[in-house]
Amino acid sequence: MSGRSKSPVGPGARRPGRSSARAGFRTPGVLLLRHGLSEWNAAQRWQGWADIDLAPEGRTQAIDAAAELATWPRTLPVEIVASDLVRAQQTARPIAAALGAGEFRVDAGFRERGVGEWSGRTTAEIEHVWPGMLTRWRDGHLAQLPGGEDETAFRSRITIALRHACEQAVANAAAVIVVSHGGVIRTLERLHHVEPRPVGNLGGRWFFLVGGEIRGGSRVDLRGRGPTTGGTAL
């Protein structure tokens, strides 16, 4: 359920994009980021739970994003969390180092949606083997991909993980950066009444806990551009 977008709150609320995001780490909240370009992103292959390394370009993206984040003004401590998949952890590591945040925490709740038999396949291959199924899934008419994770279970898992991270941010008076996945970010946007858009590598969105309700804040693009060629892969 997408609903209508609410007004953004917290850091970066004035304008979308890179310049507004540089408002910095001044309000307890969660910055949910997509990992850097993986080897399967570059090959246009769906990943899901497949544990795929970052491509060389993705490693460079992570280092550059870490350097950008280190320039943001800070009045709060910053904590780093990563999905349990290696592409997220390889992205989180230079970010944690650049921000002096110590060791990042791994949370499997933020791992990508399990895509079952679609993992490792290109969109063209999926359309050939399962004609029309991708469109039905994108339109919300399928609860599960072939051999994949149940959609209700996926939504519950990532909603719980986000609420825990937001509560941690408030309790610790900290900004929490979570390195996760494109499907996770887009689904959480829909669930929290923010119109989802394609998420590029090292793109994401702020989320905040306000009066017990999670609200979406501004979009962030640490690369200053839209999705890469791998933007539709998971």
Side-chain angles (χ1 to χ4, degrees):
M1 53 181 178
S2 57
R4 282 186 289 180
S5 301
K6 293 185 177 181
S7 299
V9 294
R14 288 171 293 180
R15 295 193 307 277
R18 189 165 178 159
S19 59
S20 61
R22 286 177 61 91
F25 303 109
R26 294 193 175 104
T27 303
V30 174
L31 174 55
L32 198 57
L33 291 175
R34 186 184 176 202
H35 57 80
L37 186 79
S38 73
E39 292 176 350
W40 277 12
N41 285 153
Q44 294 282 291
R45 297 191 180 279
W46 288 57
Q47 295 172 112
W49 290 351
D51 219 5
I52 309 302
D53 288 326
L54 292 182
E57 181 182 346
R59 295 177 186 273
T60 299
Q61 290 171 352
I63 292 169
D64 290 346
E68 167 68 15
L69 289 168
T71 69
W72 288 12
R74 270 185 279 176
T75 58
L76 297 176
V78 179
E79 302 173 5
I80 314 296
V81 179
S83 152
D84 63 334
L85 296 176
V86 67
R87 57 192 182 272
Q89 295 185 51
Q90 289 172 343
T91 304
R93 190 163 290 111
I95 292 175
L99 295 179
E103 187 62 31
F104 61 86
R105 179 170 62 84
V106 173
D107 186 342
F110 286 108
R111 71 156 49 192
E112 184 56 280
R113 170 193 283 105
V115 297
E117 295 176 41
W118 289 13
S119 183
R121 297 178 183 265
T122 65
T123 297
E125 290 169 345
I126 291 168
E127 291 283 14
H128 177 73
V129 178
W130 296 274
M133 185 176 285
L134 182 56
T135 297
R136 295 199 304 276
W137 175 67
R138 285 175 170 165
D139 289 343
H141 300 313
L142 291 179
Q144 188 173 6
L145 302 180
E149 184 177 13
D150 176 78
E151 187 68 16
T152 299
F154 169 66
R155 293 182 180 187
S156 176
R157 167 169 65 80
I158 64 176
T159 298
I160 291 170
L162 178 60
R163 175 163 288 277
H164 176 73
C166 286
E167 290 173 347
Q168 179 185 31
V170 172
N172 296 343
V176 179
I177 299 175
V178 176
V179 183
S180 186
H181 307 269
V184 172
I185 296 170
R186 291 192 304 273
T187 302
L188 286 170
E189 287 176 329
R190 292 188 188 97
L191 292 173
H192 294 95
H193 312 293
V194 180
E195 190 64 33
R197 291 181 293 168
V199 185
N201 298 110
L202 275 308
R205 185 178 294 278
W206 282 98
F207 288 89
F208 302 92
L209 189 62
V210 181
E213 178 185 356
I214 295 176
R215 297 184 184 177
S218 291
R219 262 298 183 91
V220 171
D221 181 2
L222 292 176
R223 300 182 60 219
R225 67 189 74 174
T228 67
T229 55
T232 58
L234 297 175

